[in-house]
Amino acid sequence: MTLSSFKVIVVGGGPVGLTAAHALHHAGIDFVVLEQRESVVLDQGASLVLAPSSLRVMHQFGLLERLREIGCELLRGKAYTRDGRLIADTPALRIMRKNHGSGPIAFHRAQLIEALYEGLPAEAKHRYHLSKKVVDIESSDAGVKVTCADGGSHHGSMVLGTDGVHSKTREMMRALAMAEDPTCDWDGEPPFTAQYRCMWCSFPRPLDAGRNYETQAKDHSIMFITGRERGWIFLYERLPEPTNRRVRYTEQDMEKFVQRFAEYPISKRLKVKDVYPHRITAGMANLEEGILKHWSWGRIVMAGDACYKYTPNAGRGFNNGIQDIVVLCNKLHAMLESKAGSTPDVAALESVFAAYRKTRKVPVLADAKQSVTISRMHAWETWKYYIMARYVMPWSIIQWYMVNYLAAEGIRKSWVLDYIPAEEPFRGLVSWRHPLKSKL
């Protein structure tokens, strides 16, 4: 069996699904991406920030030069209180650059998605299909069948769900697992609980590029980021009580919400009321959190927000989704090469999926813990979080220790694709555990 006779059906064509398209194409694995939206690029959402570890993977795809053109490296971090008092001018981003050869790079979400799509080779781009809302998944010993709302169906060897926090793949996988064994201890649906909500918007950049500021207050916080052309704010508020109910916020809801933040500072001279009227895009949602026990069943596996969800304060969501795809595709590629003519059965796939989850478990848990801590420190959720945010974390020596000894170790362990040769684009004081190979 050649690699191309094995087919992956990717459900969801957002950032993680597009990353999967690149990785599968380079692995020589046949695939199709099913995206329910009518357009690849919609000017929605806010910013996405890629860590140096993720940029190495993008370099393997041949996208780094383009991403540097549209993105902006973050190099300055500050923290303010609600009354405008500066409580931290952190060196963390500059230390990260010295350690890993680059700081994180911020993008407008729509521009990053466009770059990922346009960077696909023509052959791979033809496998990306729009207006394909998945309504059913069938799985058997022979393979999988995915049916769309338009009546079309796709047959393959496995399903990869990259369709986000409200994943239909996850719902269908759960239904199949429960039908097979009604007594099994499966994750509930919906599986995640929200304790915070967030409103975001983008606007023409009002300050120098490369800023990453935060504002802290009791049960409220703000993130303010400036990119190459736009700025973004994220307004966070603790919910009166936790909920797993999906809420769709209206324009009126957002207008009322933003008024509560109008006088909050986002920099030394700017307040929320100074930038919100100039918004280009805006949105609002509850922020689900949690990690599923089950990431796969049979021939179905998930990646990214479909199987775990963080608050966005630490910027770990998409970066972890990229790592999911890298680890999963490395293991799929190795399995298919070892089969050399035989068709992998369900047991072989389940073994790969279990190894994938085992590899990802520790870093996913670590980043979940960090995301929980940062979001609650920023919002002074308890007196302990308040003391940490207000009096401990602002110290430069604490920042130095956290970045050099905790963050650096996690970043250096990040995986790259085993089967794509590339020269190392980032060299710093900290070595990479998994170096890029110039030759295979």
Side-chain angles (χ1 to χ4, degrees), residues 8-280:
V8 179
I9 300 176
V10 181
V11 180
V16 177
L18 283 163
T19 302
H22 281 275
L24 291 167
H25 171 77
H26 283 281
I29 300 174
D30 191 13
F31 72 93
V32 62
V33 178
L34 305 178
E35 169 54 46
Q36 68 175 351
R37 295 174 302 174
E38 297 179 355
S39 173
V40 178
V41 181
L42 298 172
D43 194 1
Q44 297 176 339
S47 64
L48 286 173
V49 177
L50 293 186
S53 51
S54 296
L55 293 167
R56 296 174 78 219
V57 178
M58 295 298 146
H59 175 57
Q60 290 187 288
F61 297 154
L63 299 178
L64 184 57
E65 183 177 347
R66 175 57 182 158
L67 295 185
R68 279 173 163 161
E69 291 174 355
I70 64 173
C72 177
E73 186 174 352
L74 300 177
L75 289 173
R76 189 71 183 268
K78 292 184 178 181
Y80 296 90
T81 61
R82 182 176 179 175
D83 60 5
R85 184 181 306 173
L86 178 67
I87 56 175
D89 190 343
T90 172
L93 295 169
R94 298 187 292 277
I95 296 173
M96 183 183 292
R97 191 179 209 287
K98 291 180 181 179
N99 284 344
H100 307 291
S102 174
I105 296 182
F107 304 87
H108 187 57
R109 180 186 176 91
Q111 281 188 307
L112 179 56
I113 290 174
E114 181 179 34
L116 286 169
Y117 177 74
E118 292 299 332
L120 282 171
E123 180 185 354
K125 199 176 292 184
H126 291 317
R127 299 176 183 176
Y128 185 105
H129 301 288
L130 294 166
S131 301
K132 293 293 182 180
K133 182 179 180 180
V134 173
V135 295
D136 188 45
I137 298 176
E138 300 174 47
S139 180
S140 68
D141 291 340
V144 292
K145 177 184 177 182
V146 176
T147 304
C148 299
D150 61 5
S153 61
H154 299 264
H155 296 264
S157 308
M158 59 169 279
V159 171
L160 170 55
T162 59
D163 46 347
V165 64
H166 303 294
S167 170
K168 294 298 181 184
T169 305
R170 186 182 64 234
E171 290 182 20
M172 296 173 196
M173 183 181 77
R174 181 180 187 274
L176 289 168
M178 296 295 290
E180 181 183 67
D181 180 7
T183 65
C184 66
D185 181 23
W186 208 264
D187 300 282
E189 187 60 48
F192 304 128
T193 299
Q195 297 187 46
Y196 287 81
R197 56 187 164 193
C198 175
M199 200 212 83
W200 62 88
C201 67
S202 70
F203 38 83
R205 176 170 59 82
L207 291 180
D208 291 343
R211 300 303 191 248
N212 183 28
Y213 295 170
E214 64 196 51
T215 304
Q216 303 176 5
K218 176 60 178 171
D219 294 332
H220 298 82
S221 65
I222 300 174
M223 288 169 49
F224 170 45
I225 300 172
T226 56
R228 188 173 293 274
E229 297 174 351
R230 296 195 191 193
W232 305 272
I233 53 171
F234 299 79
L235 311 179
Y236 298 97
E237 181 179 68
R238 188 181 181 188
L239 291 166
E241 59 184 22
T243 180
N244 64 0
R245 183 173 64 91
R246 186 177 184 181
V247 179
R248 298 183 184 275
Y249 291 101
T250 66
E251 287 285 342
Q252 291 75 23
D253 293 329
M254 289 192 287
E255 288 292 338
K256 292 179 181 178
F257 184 81
V258 78
Q259 290 308 311
R260 297 202 287 275
F261 288 85
E263 296 295 335
Y264 279 59
I266 60 173
S267 73
K268 183 177 181 180
R269 297 183 178 85
L270 292 174
K271 296 183 177 181
V272 170
K273 66 180 181 181
D274 297 321
V275 297
Y276 181 71
H278 305 289
R279 64 193 178 279
I280 303 170

Side-chain angles (χ1 to χ4, degrees), residues 363-381:
V364 164
L365 285 170
D367 280 355
K369 182 178 180 180
Q370 185 180 46
S371 295
V372 165
T373 300
I374 290 176
S375 59
R376 283 147 180 81
M377 280 199 306
H378 288 179
W380 298 349
E381 184 174 291

Side-chain angles (χ1 to χ4, degrees), residues 52-53 56 73 75 91-103 399-412 424 426-432:
S53 51
R56 296 174 78 219
E73 186 174 352
L75 289 173
L93 295 169
R94 298 187 292 277
I95 296 173
M96 183 183 292
R97 191 179 209 287
K98 291 180 181 179
N99 284 344
H100 307 291
S102 174
Q399 292 284 326
W400 182 89
Y401 173 79
M402 296 288 288
V403 178
N404 280 303
Y405 288 96
L406 299 181
E409 184 62 19
I411 292 172
R412 73 177 293 268
E424 181 60 63
F426 302 119
R427 299 186 186 276
L429 300 177
V430 178
S431 63
W432 298 104

